[in-house]
Amino acid sequence: MEKIVILTGAGISAESGLSTFRDEGGLWAQHRIEDVATPEGFARDPALVQGFYNARRVQASKVQPNAAHEALARLQRDWPGDVVIVTQNVDSLHEAGGAKDVIHMHGTLAGALCSACGHRWTAPPEMAVGESCPACARPTARPDVVWFGEMPYFMDEIYDHLASASLFAAIGTSGQVYPAAAFVHEAQAAGARTIEINLEPSPGTSGFDERLVGKATQTVPRWVGHLLAPHT
């Protein structure tokens, strides 16, 4: 059966109340990306970075999955072939909505990482500066999120999925950040049909065969219903 690979970005979680990079007044708007989302920023001011991600963790704990998350979980559950969800988001809303085996290419707010030995564990609600790694005991704990300038996780696995996809969908992502921005071209090179579902067309839409424009909570359930109609 056809394999569907779905890439999601901040736009799918925005309607649950999580701010994106570009939201005015949101958490990101209060800080420069260079200060809170780069290894250099963490080295320069670890207290600022830990505080920022502690605030994001609190924000993420207060929101619920929306109809778009739940629709993708339904697609994953009812589609006769494979449905692989790759997300750029660090929240857990896909899982809360019922999705399984989500590939978090940018890590998760729920995780902690030792920058010395690479050990990973569940992050506490509030991480302190100099928090010790439970494996090596060094005071080098950081959020397990991929910062600008770092390589996203699971790239080999993602490219393998793109190479065997029959349909690729990008949902709620600007298409401006690489390597994710190139996924549509990888999928097309493998012969997949491609679709963008977004609040507004992204600058890189020339790579897509089809576009659906509108709120994710409206467009994604409709799209899923259309895909599943012949199988129900």
Side-chain angles (χ1 to χ4, degrees), residues 105-188:
M105 62 181 292
H106 290 162
T108 67
L109 289 170
L113 168 69
C114 177
S115 56
C117 74
H119 179 68
R120 289 181 165 85
W121 67 100
T122 301
E126 188 164 318
M127 287 183 68
V129 175
E131 192 149 324
S132 298
C133 168
C136 71
R138 297 183 192 178
T140 48
R142 54 163 279 185
D144 189 13
V145 296
V146 175
W147 288 327
F148 288 91
E150 296 180 326
M151 179 60 68
Y153 299 152
F154 311 115
M155 291 305 298
D156 288 343
E157 181 181 351
I158 293 168
Y159 283 128
D160 285 345
H161 285 306
L162 292 170
S164 57
S166 301
L167 174 62
F168 171 76
I171 302 174
T173 177
S174 67
Q176 297 181 56
V177 179
Y178 286 85
F183 288 175
V184 60
H185 305 297
E186 293 285 336
Q188 278 197 323

